[in-house]
Amino acid sequence: FGSSAGFFSSFGGLRTHKRTAMSAAVAEPPAKRLAAGNGAAAKPPELEFFSAWFCPYAQRAWIALEHHGLPYKKVEGLLPDKPGEQFVGYIKNPRLLELNPKGMVPTISEGPGSPPVYESLVCVEYVDEVAGAGAAGSLLPGRACERAQLRVQADWVNRE
């Protein structure tokens, strides 16, 4: 894709989109809308989110975290095997291996004493639950049959 500027400009100026009052309300993450309202939701824990910059499965969970505006610390799961820019391969982050012995991303942790969450679709559903998303703020449609259909499609993508 080259530079990100070229990538985004190919979508008709996505980066310079001007929000209307309606689109701003719709685009605002549910967690931020709740906090701005009268009854602020209980503050969710800051999550430790292990990712890899090139992994589309980890990007699913990252999109969910961003959508809901949850606090998280992003940690690169793969580290260069040598310092500098001349590395040949990578090693898995030791903390990631503590949480997930397979060393797979995405992996999410609430901290000590909490079991880690991994597998991309499980992470997305977990983030939805932590955010307390109702039908309006969920990443999946409101009706159970529609959510089931999307899960079937996502499972097909995972297997194919």
Side-chain angles (χ1 to χ4, degrees):
F1 284 86
S3 76
S4 62
F7 173 76
F8 286 114
S9 66
S10 67
F11 288 100
L14 181 66
R15 290 172 37 164
T16 59
H17 172 70
K18 292 185 179 179
R19 291 184 182 187
T20 63
M22 173 82 106
S23 69
V26 171
E28 194 69 36
K32 290 183 182 174
R33 285 197 307 262
L34 282 173
N38 293 339
K43 185 179 178 191
E46 180 172 86
L47 303 171
E48 193 174 17
F49 170 57
F50 289 87
S51 182
W53 65 270
F54 57 83
C55 178
Y57 302 107
Q59 289 175 7
R60 286 178 178 169
W62 174 67
I63 290 168
L65 287 164
E66 287 293 314
H67 171 77
H68 288 299
L70 292 178
Y72 67 94
K73 179 179 120 186
K74 187 174 181 188
V75 180
E76 185 62 35
L78 305 176
L79 305 171
D81 61 349
K82 296 180 184 176
E85 295 182 22
Q86 299 299 319
F87 64 91
V88 177
Y90 63 87
I91 57 172
K92 294 195 176 186
N93 187 313
R95 173 77 175 130
L96 171 62
L97 291 171
E98 285 176 26
L99 295 169
N100 183 345
K102 291 183 179 180
M104 304 297 284
V105 294
T107 296
I108 298 175
S109 172
E110 287 185 10
S114 295
V117 178
Y118 41 89
E119 298 297 329
S120 66
L121 293 177
V122 173
C123 287
V124 169
E125 290 178 14
Y126 164 79
V127 167
D128 247 5
E129 278 190 43
V130 168
S138 176
L139 291 169
L140 298 175
R143 294 178 42 212
C145 61
E146 293 170 328
R147 290 192 301 270
Q149 180 63 35
L150 283 175
R151 287 183 180 109
V152 167
Q153 291 171 348
D155 183 58
W156 180 86
V157 168
N158 282 344
R159 288 183 286 118
E160 302 300 319

